[in-house]
Amino acid sequence: MAQTPATGQTPVVYGASDRPPRGDYSRAREDYTCEQNWAAYTATDHDTYHRLYQRQSAQLPGLASQAFIDALPLLGAKERIPRFEEVNERLYKATRWEIVTVPGLIPEVPFFQLLANRKFPVTDWIRKPEEFDYVVEPDVFHDLFGHVPLLFNPVFADYVQRYGEGGLKAERLGACEMLSRLYWYTIEFGLIREADGLRAYGAGILSSAGELPYSVRSPEPLRLPLELLRTMRTRYKIDTYQQTYFVIDSFQQLFDLTAQDFAPLYEQLRGLPEFTADGRPASEAATAAG
């Protein structure tokens, strides 16, 4: 990965990519945060955000977690990209969280440090109109619409902070890859069983027009109860709908699961076989491929 000359910061490439990540990393401070340059957004940028918001919010009933639906209006203006400081006025009062601007994807340790301090990094650039249906890297719509509403939920917000604290420990133990799978299958692509049925709460699902109905209603994917050993042994893909989802019964269950010391868990995981993204044992998949 190339260093940015202005700050020496190392941008992060999302998945397998030959191009440098999007975003102006020369603006980044040592912790990778920067100022939201709201004045730089064009009328087209605001229109893209508005159209994305309209499309996704129309799909939510019957598919999204009720906690997410209830909190979504707290983002504020939907006809334009919100000013982050306006969101923070409401968010800090609700759960003592705040959102901070970053130029794009950031490395693991700064990411964990921000979460551990109840600061959620939000990318400030937005996809182009020709990328309306799909963008490889998370943009401001994914981060704001997908992630921020549930930070108004006290239990979920505490889980995200605990994840950040656990991430700092995982980095010292060389276990970031295992822990990243927990983030992927909960915060990004988690499902929850509510009184009215299965619902989505993961940001990657909630910000995707296609994966939202697929994750809840399609008979194709494997859906398993969230269990730490299985979840952290399951690989994932970033460029397709998920083939495996993990289901929780409540956000409290999610929070309670992560109360334990993960260090012994990591040692146990290192001696166990992994699973592919479609739920097969990795050794079986490798044999079939060979």
Side-chain angles (χ1 to χ4, degrees):
M1 299 181 192
Q3 297 280 324
T4 53
T7 64
Q9 301 290 46
T10 304
V12 175
V13 174
Y14 194 57
S17 176
D18 294 328
R19 67 172 178 77
R22 201 177 306 187
D24 179 8
Y25 286 80
S26 67
R27 299 186 296 144
R29 307 180 185 100
E30 288 188 5
D31 65 354
Y32 281 85
T33 65
C34 55
E35 299 300 320
Q36 182 193 23
N37 189 1
W38 195 85
Y41 294 128
T42 66
T44 298
D45 293 335
H46 290 299
D47 178 66
T48 298
Y49 181 89
H50 184 209
R51 290 189 297 119
L52 285 165
Y53 191 111
Q54 286 183 307
R55 180 176 70 173
Q56 288 306 112
S57 59
Q59 290 198 81
L60 298 179
L63 295 174
S65 163
Q66 191 59 47
F68 179 87
I69 292 173
D70 291 345
L72 183 60
L74 296 171
L75 281 184
K78 56 187 178 183
E79 71 280 355
R80 60 173 173 81
I81 299 169
R83 296 179 185 268
F84 293 177
E85 64 265 24
E86 293 176 357
V87 177
N88 280 337
E89 289 177 6
R90 296 181 290 273
L91 182 58
Y92 190 80
K93 289 178 182 178
T95 58
R96 295 296 187 265
W97 270 81
E98 58 184 318
I99 57 176
V100 292
T101 310
V102 291
L105 290 162
I106 65 176
E108 290 170 332
V109 172
F111 179 70
F112 295 146
Q113 288 172 332
L114 289 172
L115 297 187
N117 288 287
R118 298 178 88 85
K119 298 177 187 294
F120 195 88
V122 175
T123 301
D124 62 349
W125 58 262
I126 191 164
R127 69 193 72 180
K128 297 172 181 172
E130 58 267 27
E131 300 170 306
F132 189 79
D133 290 323
Y134 177 73
V135 63
V136 175
E137 297 169 44
D139 69 345
V140 67
F141 177 76
H142 167 83
D143 284 346
L144 269 182
F145 185 97
H147 283 289
V148 175
L150 281 181
L151 292 176
F152 284 91
N153 180 283
V155 179
F156 189 82
D158 285 348
Y159 166 66
V160 178
Q161 180 185 25
R162 179 174 281 177
Y163 180 89
E165 293 169 343
L168 293 173
K169 296 177 184 177
E171 194 276 332
R172 295 193 295 269
L173 296 171
C176 285
E177 182 178 358
M178 289 182 276
L179 189 66
S180 71
R181 293 169 182 172
L182 181 63
Y183 187 94
W184 186 264
Y185 284 118
T186 60
I187 295 171
E188 286 289 357
F189 289 93
L191 297 177
I192 185 170
R193 199 168 298 284
E194 296 185 338
D196 294 332
L198 197 64
R199 299 291 185 266
Y201 71 90
I205 302 173
L206 293 165
S207 60
S208 169
E211 191 150 4
L212 181 53
Y214 168 85
S215 67
V216 174
R217 293 177 177 163
S218 173
E220 295 179 13
L222 182 66
R223 299 180 182 89
L224 301 172
L226 181 71
E227 188 270 329
L228 292 177
L229 281 175
R230 177 60 188 260
T231 304
M232 289 197 278
R233 292 160 63 197
T234 303
R235 301 170 184 171
Y236 58 83
K237 295 181 178 180
I238 70 166
D239 54 357
T240 63
Y241 292 168
Q242 301 307 298
Q243 297 167 290
T244 301
Y245 296 97
F246 290 91
V247 184
I248 61 172
D249 296 319
S250 69
F251 295 140
Q252 188 64 50
Q253 175 202 9
L254 186 60
F255 180 76
D256 292 344
L257 274 174
T258 55
Q260 62 183 285
D261 179 8
F262 277 22
L265 187 66
Y266 295 142
E267 289 305 311
Q268 186 178 357
L269 283 163
R270 288 187 175 102
L272 295 173
E274 294 190 333
F275 293 91
T276 61
D278 63 1
R280 292 180 296 162
S283 57
E284 175 185 307
T287 300

